[in-house]
Amino acid sequence: MQDKTHDMKIKSLIFLGILQSCFYLNAQVKTLDPVEYVNPLMGTQSLHNLSNGNTYPAVCRPWGMNFWTPQTGKMGDGWAYTYTAEKIRGFKQTHQPSPWMNDYGQFSIMPVTGKLAFAEDARSSWFSHKAEVSKPYYYSVYLADYDVTTEITTTERAAHFQITFPKNDESYIVIDAFDKGSYIKIIPSENKIIGYTTRNSGGVPENFKNYFVLVFDKPFLTNSVWNDKTLEKDKLELTAHHAGAVVGFKTQKGEKINVRVASSFISAEQAELNLKELGTVSFEENVTQSKNEWNKVLGRIAVEDTNIDQLKTFYSCLYRTVCFPQKQYEINKDGGIVHYSPYNGKVLPGYMYAGTGFWDTFRALYPLLNLVYPSINKEMQEGLINDYKEGGFLPEWSSPGFRNVMVGNNSASVVSDAYMKGLRGYDINTLYEALLHGANNEGPLEAVGRKGVQYYNTLGYVPYDVKINENAARTLEYAYDDFAIWKLAKALNRPKKEISLYEKRMLNYKKLYNPSIGLMSGRNKDGSFPVNFNPFKWGDAFTEGNSWHYSWSVFHDIQGLIDLMGGEKKFTAKLDEVFTTPPVFDDSYYGSVIHEIREMQIMNMGQYAHGNQPIQHMIYLYNYAGEPWKTQYWSREVMNRLYKPTPDGYCGDEDNGQTSAWYIFSAMGFYPVCPATDEYVLGAPLFKKITLKLENGKQLIINASDNSDVNRYVDKLKWNNSVYTKNYINHFDVLEGGELNFDMTSSPNLKRGTAKDAFPYSYSNSK
């Protein structure tokens, strides 16, 4: 009897301990710093033929000018870090927005011990993720071949390395200024190395250089420069196709060598100024400062829930949304804001940002900035003014200057959405002038201005048979961009004739609706539709997608699209078909299966291709046709199935914050289907509570206390304790703060949101 009593007491104590642990974990969920949920390795398990994000673990500050990353790929390889790699070749300063765009202004640092090795393959070291710590504010890894631990933290333009060596008479730090033209100089009397790198992937003038400076806290015992694969021991300075340096030390077991690094696109002197961002504080203090900055930025959205994986996914995505575009401006000796222009090669006053493709990011990333971080986007708008003044056009893809990739004229959306969401204090008239210029001219590159603009402005579309690739995609995006210009023109009280012109052009999307397939297609110059047009054919008339993906790109007039498709029931049936049609495809335009096709094929969601941008808003279109519960279902399915806080955690290219911004908005329960309007289309929140801390000091609280994986449908919605029947919320109402209370249920409410007065904005319903 005593033994049984004893056993019961033990079991009771164990049970009590489990309960206490649960309470502790719940407390941790609510109190853990937001940055501690971030996994910068999310999306790094990617390959050229299959993207799970195509990210790298950026150690940086939000929107910082310089990022740092461990480098597993070879010099010049866009896949700088891949999770499945076994060796690290160095720690690289990077500005790379995506592997497809590649990098510019890069150089690397690598510690080695024993026999000196400086070439990238020879110096590489085995590492393990078990001996790796990756945070936005701190990175650490053990380099097994050298018994060395490397730690990194950063400011916006500088980095602090702390390298822990073993006892060794031959400990070295290798500096690689990369090929394509570089310079290095060792200054032993100052424990300093200076230099520059010119390596880039385009989008820069001929005088482009990234100047760098490194200052060590230990004198050099030995020093040499190297030229490609040749060590030149008798030199301290070298200009070459591929220059580098090696400095050597005698180290004790556990000895830490600190290296402070900064760079500048302006000059060596400016790099020295940028180095002062680190101050004179310790490595640990710089880590703390960076961590505090990340918590401040990520803490603007506070999530309360018990699902740790979803919290990790949310904050990992939020981290990605505040990385790009990067600050390309610097602070001169007088405290002035200056930048090196990637358009004309001059050093000029004012802001500059770079590293984003508007084809991707106009959809949700810039709307997220306008809602959560508007003061940063105000700087970005000022930077766009400088882009236009210095380059003659607004960029559509900047890395750092004009890049010839993707289609559309979506700078119009980025500019218009900022102004329509209330941003002020910059020269909007010059930006509007830039929009008109871009809308009516072909640029110096196909991806700048509007390719095929003469056809578009006369016929109302870019024809299929005039040897302009991706013509239907261009037409659909130009029509939406014309809507964005029309909205801004009205807000600026432009002449009526000008307003009417863009109002007319915004309806050009109708010219591509092909009734024989019930979707959009290319259209010939004579007005006929191509015979046997294949809606499953990727590319050709479309950009990285097919007709099933692009037919929904009528952001501004979904009602008009509904009318073309034969009414609400036929429209929602067509939406349903996206998910029920098998993921068949025609890749003949590309000649092989591009990674975007493969990512659609393997996700088991039919023709829905969330891994690329054109279709990402489509799930929210059920709200325009009286079936909002399907939006609630599918948005949850995508969040649950296609996002994980793991190295394979994305379902395609992350793309400079856009795919992450989709998740952030969707997790909050709404999405900006049509930037340049003041509405967000409702879905259903993912978490039990979210507090959005607005820049104006007010708060939006989103409550969904009964939320669960089963309870994914909205039964009732209250806005500030009043029943709310609309399928959208207004941006300016949100800015006033308040509470959205979602009553969640396991069964769809088939009555809520079905009346036409509940539907979001469409141009056809606004007249």
Side-chain angles (χ1 to χ4, degrees), residues 651-669:
C651 58
D653 286 346
E654 195 283 323
D655 279 330
N656 306 117
Q658 166 56 32
T659 299
S660 291
W662 185 95
Y663 186 93
I664 299 301
F665 269 120
S666 295
M668 291 194 292

Side-chain angles (χ1 to χ4, degrees), residues 598-617:
R598 188 69 72 207
E599 288 143 17
M600 178 199 74
Q601 182 195 31
I602 66 178
M603 294 304 162
N604 193 25
M605 296 185 82
Q607 287 290 318
Y608 184 71
H610 191 81
N612 214 19
Q613 280 65 42
I615 205 170
Q616 287 181 350
H617 68 294

